[in-house]
């Protein structure tokens, strides 16, 4: 024949083409002139094309955030390779992304965008051209995890409560996992899984004057974000409140007009601990019976009973004062009853007559 038959084919003496093509060949006309003992016959023209068998079964799977895996069936034994094309639109925008060798039946496409659907098709190539396409087939990459929440802030609003806030840097989170620790490096406990788009939380029922540490992460379709930075803060101290004032002595019995007794006052907080630095205001309930100085010095004025008080920050403490002057003809010992520093009553006597 003229030209020569494609590689792998031959023409027998019986004018029969036999063999298996070893490659592809574009369609071409072949002139074959048979002959016998009687001489040559008229030439016969035959059109021969050697095509590739099309690849089949293209599938896309095993998605990750930036990769997809392709697989297919190679139905040819004489291709020189496979050409892979990709698009984000099944009907347009195709571009060749990979040229693979012969007999390859799998390929991993990398450097993809998370959360994006990609379409693929491929065809085999031989020495005479291309097969038909296999595909298209498609799959989405896995979505990316949410962005890490930032700008975690904490404010101690009371001795038992800390208010937290942060910046939400994602648009598709399911919510936030908020955790607390006593030292920032040991065991963390889950405080709350918040609703999406939440940026505040109040942590209550805490211990006063105690350090607490916080961190959080977002969860979304692509899994968990990294943790935020760890933030530590301390609950406020319990404010000390003056709850009582003790006056000593708390009871005084005087038998002499013009007698003087020095009173002392002390203030105590809600834990019954003495509070230093208090300034007391002294007052005698009945100035006709006694007077009292700014320093708590009581002076008896006449017979009677009265209360002497010390006040500070709206709290009052009192001592009772009794003044009784015996008749002149009475001879003996008058009694003066006071309370010492231990809180016990003390009886003082002084002679008169």
């Amino acid at each position: 024949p003229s030209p020569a038959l494609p590689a792998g084919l031959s023409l027998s003496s019986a004018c029969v083409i036999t063999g298996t093509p070893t490659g592809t060949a574009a369609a071409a006309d072949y002139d074959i002139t048979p002959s016998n003992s009687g001489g040559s016959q008229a030439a016969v023209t035959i059109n021969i094309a050697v095509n590739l068998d099309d690849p089949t079964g293209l599938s896309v799977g095993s998605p990750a955030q930036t990769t997809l895996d392709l697989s297919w069936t190679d139905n040819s034994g004489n291709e020189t390779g496979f050409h892979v094309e990709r698009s984000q639109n099944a009907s347009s925008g195709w571009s060749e992304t990979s040229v693979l060798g012969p007999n390859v039946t799998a390929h991993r496409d990398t450097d993809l965008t998370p959360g994006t659907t990609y379409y693929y098709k491929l065809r085999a190539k031989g020495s005479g051209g291309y097969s038909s396409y296999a595909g298209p087939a498609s799959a989405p990459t896995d979505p990316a995890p949410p962005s890490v929440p930032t700008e975690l802030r904490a404010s101690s609003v009371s001795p038992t409560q800390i208010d937290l806030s942060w910046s939400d840097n994602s648009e598709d989170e399911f919510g936030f996992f908020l955790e607390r620790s006593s030292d920032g490096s040991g065991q963390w406990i889950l405080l709350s899984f918040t609703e999406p788009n939440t940026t505040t939380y109040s942590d209550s029922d805490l211990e006063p004057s105690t350090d607490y540490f916080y961190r959080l992460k977002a969860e979304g379709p692509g899994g968990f974000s990294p943790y935020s930075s760890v933030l530590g803060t301390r609950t406020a101290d319990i404010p000390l409140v003056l709850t009582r004032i003790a006056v000593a002595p708390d009871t005084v019995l005087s038998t002499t007009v013009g007698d003087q007794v020095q009173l002392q006052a002390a203030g105590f907080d809600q834990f019954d601990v003495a509070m230093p630095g208090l300034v007391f205001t002294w007052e005698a309930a009945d100035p006709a019976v006694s007077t009292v100085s700014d320093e708590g010095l009581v002076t008896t004025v006449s017979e009677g009973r009265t209360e002497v008080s010390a006040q500070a920050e709206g709290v009052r403490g009192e001592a009772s004062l009794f003044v009784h002057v015996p008749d002149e003809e009475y001879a003996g010992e008058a009694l003066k009853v006071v309370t010492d520093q231990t809180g016990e009553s003390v009886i003082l006597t002084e002679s008169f007559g």
Side-chain angles (χ1 to χ4, degrees):
S2 177
L5 291 172
L9 299 180
S10 62
L11 181 65
S12 70
S13 60
C15 204
V16 176
I17 298 175
T18 60
T20 300
T22 59
T24 59
D29 290 335
Y30 296 87
D31 295 329
I32 300 175
T33 303
S35 63
N36 54 29
S37 59
S40 297
Q41 306 294 319
V44 177
T45 300
I46 300 175
N47 186 272
I48 299 175
V50 181
N51 297 320
L52 292 169
D53 289 327
D54 301 331
T56 56
L58 176 62
S59 65
V60 184
S62 303
Q65 292 174 7
T66 60
T67 64
L68 288 170
D69 288 345
L70 285 68
S71 63
W72 60 91
T73 300
D74 175 10
N75 295 312
S76 298
N78 52 358
E79 78 275 354
T80 58
F82 293 92
H83 291 241
V84 180
E85 298 180 26
R86 183 182 69 208
S87 172
Q88 293 185 32
N89 183 323
S91 59
S92 63
W94 294 96
S95 62
E96 187 173 87
T97 59
S98 300
V99 177
L100 309 174
N103 304 318
V104 174
T105 58
H107 173 64
R108 172 166 290 178
D109 196 14
T110 60
D111 298 326
L112 304 177
T113 301
T116 303
T117 297
Y118 291 93
Y119 296 83
Y120 295 89
K121 62 183 180 179
L122 82 157
R123 57 183 176 173
K125 184 179 182 181
S127 57
Y130 293 95
S131 71
S132 297
Y133 282 103
S138 65
T141 51
D142 285 341
S147 299
V148 59
T150 57
E151 298 179 341
L152 178 60
R153 297 183 178 92
S155 175
S156 178
V157 297
S158 78
T160 60
Q161 179 173 319
I162 292 174
D163 285 352
L164 301 164
S165 66
W166 59 89
S167 293
D168 175 6
N169 298 314
S170 302
E171 297 180 353
D172 60 349
E173 78 276 355
F174 301 145
F176 295 93
F177 283 83
L178 180 62
E179 300 176 2
R180 185 182 71 202
S181 169
S182 60
D183 58 10
S185 59
Q187 182 178 5
W188 291 88
I189 63 171
L190 177 64
L191 281 182
S192 176
F193 177 65
T194 73
E195 295 293 326
N197 303 316
T198 300
T199 57
T200 60
Y201 181 81
S202 292
D203 191 15
S204 56
D205 298 327
L206 303 176
E207 293 295 327
S209 308
T210 304
D211 292 323
Y212 293 95
F213 296 85
Y214 299 90
R215 67 182 184 181
L216 76 158
K217 61 182 178 180
E219 183 187 20
F224 292 101
S225 74
Y227 276 106
S228 70
S229 57
V230 175
L231 178 67
T233 193
R234 186 177 182 85
T235 49
D237 298 331
I238 294 179
L240 299 179
V241 179
L242 179 64
T243 57
R244 72 179 182 94
I245 294 175
V247 178
D250 63 359
T251 303
V252 177
L253 175 60
S254 176
T255 60
T256 306
V257 172
D259 191 12
Q260 290 187 320
V261 178
Q262 179 64 58
L263 301 181
Q264 303 291 335
F268 297 85
D269 61 25
Q270 66 267 42
F271 304 107
D272 210 32
V273 176
M275 299 179 66
L278 295 173
V279 177
F280 299 100
T281 299
W282 292 92
E283 181 182 26
D286 187 354
V289 176
S290 72
T291 61
V292 62
S293 71
D294 292 341
E295 290 75 29
L297 181 63
V298 173
T299 302
T300 60
V301 176
S302 66
E303 284 191 313
R305 174 179 176 176
T306 189
E307 305 296 330
V308 179
S309 65
Q311 301 180 58
E313 299 180 5
V315 180
R316 176 192 297 264
E318 295 181 339
S320 298
L321 174 65
F322 301 89
V323 181
H324 176 68
V325 180
D327 294 336
E328 291 183 0
E329 65 270 17
Y330 180 84
E333 292 183 333
L335 300 180
K336 182 183 292 183
V337 181
V338 299
T339 304
D340 68 8
Q341 294 180 353
T342 66
E344 299 293 332
S345 295
V346 176
I347 301 175
L348 305 178
T349 64
E350 52 183 37
S351 297
F352 65 91

